[in-house]
Amino acid sequence: MDVLKSEFERSYMSDNQKNARNKKVLYGIIALLGVVIIVLGIYVYNLSNRSTTTIVTAPTKSASSEKASSSTKKYVAGEDYKITYSNTNLIDRSTLDKALKNSTGSDISYMMDTSEDGGDMAKVEVYYNKDKNLLVERLFKNGYKGDEDTTRVVYDLTQGKIPDNGADTNVYYQPSWLVYTWERLTK
């Protein structure tokens, strides 16, 4: 009877030890999965919340896309022109891009066009007047000298358009922060 009892105790202890070991393995796997999920969550959060971008480049052109649009030249960021965003904490980049599109300040083909009816731009600087919620675009045509801009355009972010009043842009220019620069790289 004692032999049977000790055999039962050994078998019972062995099962309990196996169960304890299996539970430890299971808890270890769960903990490891938790760490992996946390690390992936942090990685995805960091990817989606990058606040500053200094230089934006477009994909390089392929032979097929060049053939498809042979009537208009496609300009390539980093080769033909460079875009720099500055002071991104002052104005949301999507707001800035939308305003530039509405004021035609993002029409790269027009700015690069050196024909008589083209933009013929060498550089565009955009300043943000936070107090008045305005953008002041300083446009520099090819051949400009020093810091003399060719023209200035005011864009009212509140109204979503270029104001009709034709006011002096120098009034709106100060105090302003440089938030965007477009520069021609090719001559």
Side-chain angles (χ1 to χ4, degrees), residues 30-44:
I30 291 171
L32 182 62
L33 285 173
V35 169
V36 168
I37 289 171
I38 290 170
V39 169
L40 283 174
I42 291 170
Y43 177 74
V44 169

Side-chain angles (χ1 to χ4, degrees), residues 98-168:
K98 181 179 177 185
L100 289 170
K101 184 177 181 182
N102 289 342
S103 70
T104 67
S106 66
D107 187 348
I108 303 302
S109 295
Y110 173 75
M111 292 191 301
M112 294 290 291
D113 187 356
T114 57
S115 69
E116 191 174 310
D117 60 346
D120 195 24
M121 292 293 136
K123 179 169 72 168
V124 175
E125 294 177 345
V126 179
Y127 292 83
Y128 176 55
N129 183 322
K130 188 174 183 176
D131 296 336
K132 293 182 172 69
N133 202 28
L134 299 170
L135 294 177
V136 178
E137 300 174 22
R138 293 182 68 204
L139 308 171
F140 300 84
K141 286 203 176 241
N142 283 311
Y144 77 96
K145 294 191 175 37
D147 195 36
E148 293 181 32
D149 50 33
T150 308
T151 189
R152 290 185 185 173
V153 176
V154 175
Y155 184 84
D156 188 328
L157 290 165
T158 306
Q159 294 179 14
K161 65 178 187 171
I162 297 172
D164 295 328
N165 60 9
D168 181 14

Side-chain angles (χ1 to χ4, degrees), residues 22-34:
N22 288 345
K23 282 183 183 180
K24 285 181 184 179
V25 169
L26 180 62
Y27 291 143
I29 290 172
I30 291 171
L32 182 62
L33 285 173

